Amino acid sequence: AFSNVTFDSTGAGGTVSVGTLDIGTTGARVQGDGLSLTSTSGALDLGTFTVFNNNGTGLLVDAKGPPATTFTLNSSGGSVDTTPGPSPSPAPPTSPAWRTPASAR
């Protein structure tokens, strides 16, 4: 979980790039939430991103605050596989600018 974090690779607003991020596997799921980003700001590119979790939210993005933040989340592919429960969950859906990493099951 990331809370109150600023993602800035240059000190002047640069995107932090992860490359590949895997959270859990089909055989060893994370219990609870997969990835939680609350009150974060800046820009984060997850590259290829996969989550396998049980009994939580697969991907939670909340930039509504308080205080409200500006946060951009990008990904080039991957998936969120959550059982049972919600997969991606932006809050609110229009306030940060983000894209779902891939398909959500």
Side-chain angles (χ1 to χ4, degrees):
F2 294 91
S3 182
N4 298 309
V5 173
T6 299
F7 292 97
D8 182 350
S9 66
T10 64
T15 299
V16 173
S17 297
V18 174
T20 300
L21 179 63
D22 296 320
I23 299 173
T25 65
T26 54
R29 292 175 177 272
V30 172
Q31 298 302 309
D33 294 337
L35 177 61
S36 177
L37 300 155
T38 58
S39 299
T40 53
S41 61
L44 176 62
D45 184 345
L46 294 175
T48 302
F49 169 66
T50 58
V51 173
F52 294 94
N53 73 303
N54 286 329
N55 301 314
T57 302
L59 172 62
L60 173 68
V61 179
D62 183 350
K64 67 181 180 180
T69 61
T70 300
F71 178 63
T72 302
L73 177 63
N74 294 304
S75 176
S76 59
S79 63
V80 178
D81 188 335
T82 301
T83 60
S87 290
S89 177
T94 58
S95 175
W98 75 289
R99 292 183 299 193
T100 304
S103 62
R105 294 190 232 171

